[in-house]
Amino acid sequence: MAGSRLERFGTVFSRVRNLMHSGVIKLPEKPIWYDVYEAFPPKRVPLHVKPHTRLCTKKRETVPEVFYKEDNIRAKFYEHYGMGPLPFDLSKSNFVSTCQRFVDKYTEIKSRNAFEDAAVFEETGKALLTEGMVLRGRGARSVSAESRDPVLELKLTDMLAERQSISASSEEKMGCTMHTQTP
Amino acid sequence: MRSRLTFRGTLASMAARALMKGLLGLRPSRAVMVGYSVGGHHYSTAASIKPPPPQIDDSNVTDKILSLPLEKPDFFRVSELVSLKELFDARVHLGHKKGCRHRLMEPYLYGCRLDHDIIDLDQTVEHLQLALNFTAHIAYRGGIILFVSRNRQFCHLVENTAKDCGEYAHTRYWQGGLLTNGNIQYGPGVRLPDLIVFLSTLNSVFQQHVGIRDAAKMNIPSIGVVDSNCNPSLLTYPVPGNDDTPVAMELYCRLFKMTIKRAKDKRKQMELLQGLCSTGPDRL
């Protein structure tokens, strides 16, 4: 069967159509897909596009960045509290993360009373604490009221100094007895 | 019988299909179809030596069978198979990073979220419906469909899909002259595929698969799932979507399998109906 192997000129359909018009492809040899393509053409004509070798100097229209209003709240949350206590479970499509709960609460409080952003932030933290969600803050900031173990407060230098003083006092005692024993 | 293009890994399905074609060839309506084959040899079977009037009826009947589906916009109701929520749950909208983006994919992208490309699922739904509709029509007309994917993770899945719907798959190394040198590699008078479906348009080294260019060379229409790092220009019916997630690939395979099976069942149904309607004794 005759055909045209020029994939860079025209489309598959245009080449076959022209071959049929010129009589190179007879009607019984028409491809199966020809009528279907004619009835249901694609959205974009499948022409070959030459690759750009030279860099485009003019600004091209880029794909838009996707940002939401809640992203401001999310950014503040991550800056303050780091990663939430709960890991993300992406296998569930209806999963609500710690951050998302925070954002929902924030928008709710904001809509109820028109406070400042910082005040609403504090309110949200306290509201979530009452609901039972513990948020460990980054650095010294922490919403939870857990007291530190007194053992952790001990410093190594203090312990060593204590040791040394004990050993010095025992040496003195030893020294006295030694002295008395030697003739 | 027409010789078949042999593809590694699908000999069983190929043999079954050749057998089926042979059986169909003995039926009176199919005997006239042989005359309309694309580049195949014309063999005269015993059934073709029939008196003229039933043959004219046969050609009318086959013409009607073939032209009826083209009149309706969605004859096979493929729009029921595709839903936006299903595509979203299968993570079809997730593209690659901004740095990997192909400039020709920019019209198909919804946006870029923190450097991750998000594919516009509204466009995907439309493109997918067009592609599935085209596949259904080709399968209805008894065309050969070839599934190609060089992604090793899904090669077994693609081969099984092809086997289940009675079509062909090629998920191994693509030799240079597979389509372009078919007559010498497989023997004279080989019947090439009428549609090639690329479930991943990139090969193992992230370059465009040779099959896309070869299909355009041999005037074979192609359908392809194009990710945000692929070139959609030469594909007849591109489908923008994720081609790396297992869930998404399983979805595509399931959709193509269902459309092809639907189309083939419809064809059998139509032939039976026309056989019952026409006034000839012992048609079957």
Side-chain angles (χ1 to χ4, degrees), chain A residues 16 42 44-45 58 81 125 138 153 159 170-171 177 182:
Chain A
V16 172
R44 178 199 160 257
V45 175
K58 64 175 175 179
Y81 297 119
R138 249 206 255 172
E153 300 296 335
M159 282 165 69
S170 65
E171 242 183 63
T177 48
T182 50

Side-chain angles (χ1 to χ4, degrees), chain A residues 1 4-5 7 12 15 28 32-33 36-37 40 42-44 46-47 50 63-66 71 74, chain B residues 36 72-73 101 103 111-113 126 133 137-138 141 180 191 213 216-219 221 233 235-237:
Chain A
M1 197 196 88
S4 155
R5 293 197 178 192
E7 82 271 13
V12 180
R15 272 176 269 133
I32 293 178
W33 54 266
V36 188
Y37 187 110
F40 307 106
K43 280 182 169 270
R44 178 199 160 257
L47 282 168
K50 283 205 183 99
V63 172
E65 297 268 347
V66 172
D71 284 345
R74 287 190 189 121
Chain B
Y36 288 81
K72 305 213 183 108
R101 191 194 297 162
R103 78 184 161 92
C112 187
R113 171 79 168 157
E126 291 167 352
N133 184 39
H137 280 276
I138 298 282
R141 285 154 175 258
T180 43
R191 185 176 159 187
R213 193 209 63 186
K217 265 191 188 288
M218 304 306 292
N219 298 330
S233 59
L235 289 163
T236 342
Y237 295 89

